[in-house]
Amino acid sequence: MTGSGQESFIAAVKPLVDAMGGELVPPDEAGPDDVVLSWEGADAVAVRLPQLADSLDHILAAMERKKGKPLADLDRKAKQEVVRILEARGAFSVRHGVETVASALGVSRFTVYNYLNREKGS
């Protein structure tokens, strides 16, 4: 296989790996928890997946970039939307997820629980 084909494959998967907070490593440096990706029959690259807590921080940072301002500066309705999105992505199954999200939004844990309960009631 040509090096450029492998490089193109790696370039193609890099945005996905970056979006989920992972890291690309050479396949020969892959650990037992890394996922080795093959391309045209050869190991091309390994993906080191983030720990769930790191992933939540990464998701929050990406949401801030997308919104163009700190999440704490959003209005109440926008914060409720953020909580809805995070719940759909499993953010609150992570240990200290509610506390992490509350801190990022500049609200109390109680407020986050209120937002979550409001969604379940509607």
Side-chain angles (χ1 to χ4, degrees), residues 21-68:
E23 177 186 0
L24 295 175
V25 295
D28 58 343
E29 294 178 19
D33 294 330
D34 297 336
V35 179
V36 177
L37 302 178
S38 297
W39 182 252
E40 296 181 350
D43 291 345
V45 67
V47 178
R48 184 155 296 148
L49 299 171
Q51 298 301 310
L52 281 175
D54 295 338
S55 198
L56 178 54
D57 289 338
H58 194 80
I59 290 167
L60 289 167
M63 291 181 92
E64 265 191 3
R65 283 192 304 274
K66 188 173 182 180
K67 298 283 185 188

Side-chain angles (χ1 to χ4, degrees), residues 104-120:
L105 292 176
V107 299
S108 69
R109 289 182 354 208
F110 179 75
T111 298
V112 172
Y113 284 118
N114 268 345
Y115 292 169
L116 289 167
N117 289 334
R118 181 170 292 130
E119 284 306 306
K120 288 179 179 35

Side-chain angles (χ1 to χ4, degrees), residues 2 46 51 57 68 73-74 93:
T2 65
Q51 298 301 310
D57 289 338
D73 292 348
L74 299 175
S93 62

